[in-house]
Each structure stands twice: as structure tokens, then as C-alpha cells.
Amino acid sequence: MASSTNRHFIFVLITFIIILTTSLSCGHSIVGDILFLPKHVVITNKLVTREGMVLHCRNKGKDLGFKAILADESFDFRFHLNIRRTAVYTCTFSWPGNVKKFDIFRADRDDNPKSTCGVCRECIWYISEPGPCRIKCDGGSPYCFPWAS
């Protein structure tokens, strides 16, 4: 009897893990309210002018420093969402003749199933002159935003 119960438990556990793993692909989650869900932000230089850029990202408690990225190069960082789901990472982007600022991750926008662009676990951003665009995992049209400054 005990071995039948153990087999049933293992079957249910494996099924749950498969469903959870599948649902987390591309950032979609049936368990979106898991606390401290890891986030991965990728920022790619897609300036039409093919200029290099310097970016500087930080949040309230962590400064990621200055990073220089050439055309089509990327910078990425990882973090865990805070318990209050209020995380904000702001980046300043500089290239010849321009200094722009944008909140590259905002929990209310990027970890909210009710927001226009939904939840991202892998938050992939293309940075170009008109503004930053968050890429959709499914290949659809990206979500583009104006610069904050």
C-alpha cells in the first residue's frame, strides 16, 4: 500500500514539475504569484546609426555600474523580485549627442499580468533612437515606449 502511495505522489510531483516548467517558458506562469521569482533583463544596442553606447543601470539599493556596448552587443543582469513587487531598475543610455533615461524594469509593468505588455521572466529590450522596445517571446510586435527624458 505504501509503495502505491509513493508512486502516486511521485507521479503527481513529476506532472506538477513538467507543467510548471512548461508554463514558465517565455515568462508566462500559471503560478505568477510565486515570491522572489528570478528575472533576467537583456539590453541590446540596436541604434540605427550603429554607434556604441554607454549605459548605467541601477535600482534603489544596487548600482550595476557603467557598461559600454557596441552595435548589436548586449548587457544583461539578473535579480529576484522583492517581496512587495516594487522593483524598479532605471537605466541611462548615452551615445554621441544623446542622453536618454528609461525604467528598464518596473514591477507594475513587467511583472503584472494585467499590464499591457504582461509578465516577463526574460525581459529582452532593444534600444534604438526612437525609444526602447521590449521584445515578445512569441515573435509578435514588440512593445515600444517613449524615452522618459
Side-chain angles (χ1 to χ4, degrees):
M1 177 82 97
S3 92
S4 173
T5 303
N6 286 343
R7 279 195 299 249
H8 180 71
F9 174 76
I10 290 171
F11 173 76
V12 170
L13 181 62
I14 290 172
T15 303
F16 175 75
I17 289 170
I18 290 170
I19 291 170
L20 180 64
T21 303
T22 304
S23 71
L24 289 176
S25 67
C26 221
H28 301 292
S29 172
I30 58 171
V31 287
D33 291 330
I34 294 176
L35 295 176
F36 309 117
L37 194 63
K39 298 293 180 179
H40 182 210
V41 176
V42 180
I43 302 166
T44 302
N45 176 353
K46 290 292 187 179
L47 294 175
V48 176
T49 59
R50 314 264 321 142
E51 297 278 354
M53 73 169 54
V54 174
L55 59 96
H56 181 214
C57 299
R58 58 183 160 189
N59 75 0
K60 204 177 211 181
K62 187 171 187 176
D63 188 330
L64 301 177
F66 290 87
K67 307 294 178 190
I69 55 174
L70 299 174
D72 294 321
E73 287 187 344
S74 298
F75 165 71
D76 71 306
F77 62 95
R78 297 172 190 273
F79 66 97
H80 287 83
L81 199 55
N82 62 8
I83 195 165
R84 295 179 312 176
R85 299 176 101 97
T86 57
V88 176
Y89 277 86
T90 302
C91 297
T92 302
F93 301 89
S94 306
W95 65 92
N98 292 278
V99 176
K100 305 290 185 178
K101 188 180 261 187
F102 183 73
D103 291 338
I104 207 74
F105 183 89
R106 277 191 5 228
D108 65 329
R109 179 193 64 215
D110 300 310
D111 194 59
N112 181 351
K114 295 178 183 176
S115 76
T116 306
C117 46
V119 175
C120 66
R121 183 170 171 226
E122 297 283 331
C123 307
I124 301 168
W125 291 90
Y126 285 178
I127 307 302
S128 63
E129 290 86 350
C133 294
R134 196 177 99 189
I135 305 307
K136 287 184 173 180
C137 291
D138 64 8
S141 296
Y143 298 106
C144 295
F145 300 87
W147 292 109
S149 63

